């Protein structure tokens, strides 16, 4: 069983189910990516695992404990960090203030964690007194990821972290995500850039219409001719 797993999840919005029994999981130090066509339920699965949507069926387990009934803020206290795709920075606050906001649950000294974030994203140290709203899209994503890391999470969940950024910035973000995973944090990521995401993934979940179509290592999915033809452009 995975460290974090959403098992046989059924849920949606209003009366319509988007997920139809899919299962997604990740282990410490691992990068797991969820890919698939638009409308497949990728972001819905992430929101369900973070407690932003109620499950009709299935469960979410963290370290073997059922956390299905916990609110998102309670999951943060258990070590889960979530970076949404949109509206993920406080634009009127400086970079440093955004990072400090990320440490809201902590009562200890956050200076060392702040330095770790600046080590990971040097441009943020350079721009730490600048309002986040003045940054480029890629730099804002770094702020959003950095803010989530300020809680010292065991699991970092990223909903389309490279949406709207250039290929160069995407490669850089993926490099940083690899570095975060190497510290032992579990990374669970939804990504539109399926080929690039599976390239760095230990584990991949291909969703189609809210169900698991393929589940394997990133390398195996990249090598699967059916997956390549259907989802990776040949």
């Amino acid at each position: 069983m995975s460290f974090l797993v959403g098992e046989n999840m059924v849920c949606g919005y209003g009366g319509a189910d988007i997920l139809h029994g899919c299962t997604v999981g990740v282990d410490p130090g691992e990068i797991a990516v969820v890919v698939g066509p638009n409308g497949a339920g990728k972001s819905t699965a992430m929101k369900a695992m973070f407690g932003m949507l109620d499950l009709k069926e299935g469960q979410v387990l963290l370290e073997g404990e059922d956390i299905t009934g916990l609110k998102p803020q309670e999951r943060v206290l258990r070590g889960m960090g979530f970076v949404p795709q949109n509206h993920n920075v406080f634009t009127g606050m400086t970079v440093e203030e955004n990072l400090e906001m990320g440490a809201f649950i902590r009562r200890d000294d956050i200076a060392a964690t702040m330095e770790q974030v600046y080590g990971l994203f040097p441009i943020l140290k350079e721009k730490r007194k600048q309002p986040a709203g003045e940054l480029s899209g890629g730099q804002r994503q770094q702020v959003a990821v950095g803010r989530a890391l300020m809680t010292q999470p065991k699991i970092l969940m990223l909903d389309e972290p490279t949406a709207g950024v250039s290929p160069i910035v995407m490669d850089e973000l993926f490099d940083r995500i690899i570095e975060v995973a190497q510290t032992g944090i579990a990374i669970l990521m939804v990504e539109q850039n399926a080929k690039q995401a599976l390239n760095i993934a230990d584990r991949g979940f291909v969703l189609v219409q809210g169900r698991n179509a393929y589940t394997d290592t990133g390398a195996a999915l990249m090598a699967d001719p059916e997956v390549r033809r259907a989802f990776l452009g040949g």
Side-chain angles (χ1 to χ4, degrees):
M1 179 185 289
S2 299
F3 181 72
L4 172 71
V5 62
E7 283 184 339
N8 306 313
M9 296 183 291
V10 176
C11 72
Y13 307 92
D17 289 338
I18 305 291
L19 302 182
H20 301 280
C22 75
T23 294
V24 173
V26 65
D27 281 321
E30 185 178 70
I31 298 173
V33 303
V34 185
V35 299
N38 284 336
K42 304 183 296 292
S43 293
T44 303
M46 290 278 274
K47 288 171 182 169
M49 291 175 76
F50 193 59
M52 295 164 75
L53 285 173
D54 291 333
L55 291 179
K56 290 184 182 177
E57 293 177 33
Q59 58 184 353
V60 181
L61 301 172
L62 177 62
E63 296 183 84
E65 184 186 345
D66 189 340
I67 61 165
T68 310
L70 295 187
K71 294 180 173 64
Q73 56 267 39
E74 294 170 320
R75 298 183 198 215
V76 172
L77 292 170
R78 298 289 182 96
M80 294 174 68
F82 180 70
V83 180
Q85 183 183 348
N86 300 310
H87 310 299
N88 54 18
V89 298
F90 299 106
T91 53
M93 292 183 175
T94 66
V95 167
E96 194 149 273
E97 286 166 344
N98 267 276
L99 296 179
E100 287 167 354
M101 286 292 287
F104 71 100
I105 63 169
R106 293 178 54 183
R107 297 290 172 266
D108 58 334
D109 186 358
I110 64 171
T113 313
M114 185 91 75
E115 281 309 309
Q116 285 171 348
V117 170
Y118 286 148
L120 201 59
F121 302 117
I123 191 69
L124 299 188
K125 185 164 192 175
E126 195 181 304
K127 295 180 180 282
R128 65 187 182 278
K129 300 302 181 189
Q130 203 168 321
E134 295 177 5
L135 303 181
S136 70
Q139 290 165 358
R140 285 192 197 196
Q141 284 297 79
Q142 292 182 20
V143 173
V145 173
R147 196 177 74 213
L149 289 172
M150 290 298 295
T151 64
Q152 295 184 309
K154 298 173 186 173
I155 300 136
L156 184 60
M157 303 173 72
L158 306 170
D159 191 0
E160 306 221 5
T162 68
V165 305
S166 69
I168 291 172
V169 173
M170 178 179 69
D171 289 345
E172 192 179 314
L173 272 169
F174 280 171
D175 285 345
R176 299 293 83 78
I177 287 166
I178 291 167
E179 283 182 41
V180 172
Q182 286 169 345
T183 68
I185 295 173
I187 307 277
L188 181 61
M189 178 168 72
V190 165
E191 188 50 66
Q192 281 287 12
N193 298 295
K195 195 179 286 189
Q196 292 87 340
L198 288 173
N199 257 326
I200 68 164
D202 298 291
R203 206 188 320 187
F205 301 87
V206 182
L207 299 191
V208 177
Q209 295 181 331
R211 295 179 175 87
N212 293 85
Y214 301 90
T215 300
D216 212 324
T217 64
L221 291 171
M222 286 288 288
D224 186 316
E226 266 183 54
V227 173
R228 292 187 70 87
R229 187 172 62 249
F231 306 103
L232 306 177

